[in-house]
Amino acid sequence: MSGLSGVQSVSAGGIHTCAATTVGQLYCWEYNDIGQLGDDTTTNKATPTLVSGVSGVQSVSAGSSHTCALVTGGLFYSWGANDARPRGDGTTPHSTTPKLLRCRSGAHNLSAGASQPRPATTAALLRSPRRYPPSHSVSGPHT
């Protein structure tokens, strides 16, 4: 990919792609109808575009129309579609910029799911071996 170097992880979503670099930056490109690129617009981008507002990115997961990034410290951000509340923050508006999720720290893996046939979901795997009830999970509604 022209202009993009030091990539440590890439995630291809339903209609967009994101890449985390070795210096903790995040770039996203392609379709952006609901803000899934995280650049505070809904304009499609043909080339990788820096996602501002997040640093220390360790990994990224692109869902069907939302995106999640795991950052240093085990916290993560989500943006894009939120009509089915995949961010797990209790809100429904879509977001064109990254939003820090209210969750327990210590996540070491995450996944942004698809929206069909069920609502989009987001899940984080915590380092702690302790199990938390669903009310403490960081995922969207389960149907």
Side-chain angles (χ1 to χ4, degrees):
M1 173 70 44
S2 178
L4 192 59
S5 62
V7 173
Q8 70 176 355
S9 69
V10 174
S11 180
I15 52 180
H16 70 293
T17 305
C18 297
T21 69
T22 54
V23 295
Q25 293 178 315
L26 182 62
Y27 292 83
C28 295
W29 62 100
E30 296 183 278
Y31 202 65
N32 192 32
D33 66 327
I34 306 179
Q36 56 267 48
L37 300 186
D39 67 345
D40 203 19
T41 75
T42 55
T43 304
N44 298 342
K45 303 293 189 310
T47 58
T49 302
L50 180 65
V51 177
S52 60
V54 293
S55 61
V57 175
Q58 296 178 331
S59 66
V60 61
S61 182
S64 59
S65 55
H66 73 292
T67 308
C68 299
L70 178 66
V71 300
T72 304
L75 297 176
F76 68 94
Y77 289 81
S78 181
W79 58 95
N82 197 38
D83 50 349
R85 298 185 181 144
R87 279 199 310 264
D89 65 359
T91 66
T92 54
H94 303 312
S95 177
T96 59
T97 58
K99 302 294 181 195
L100 179 63
L101 293 183
R102 296 177 309 187
C103 64
R104 298 177 184 277
S105 62
H108 65 94
N109 200 352
L110 60 88
S111 178
S115 61
Q116 296 296 329
R118 293 192 168 141
T121 60
T122 300
L125 182 60
L126 303 177
R127 292 191 189 280
S128 168
R130 182 175 168 201
R131 294 181 159 252
Y132 297 103
S135 62
H136 292 294
S137 69
V138 216
S139 64
H142 300 274
T143 58

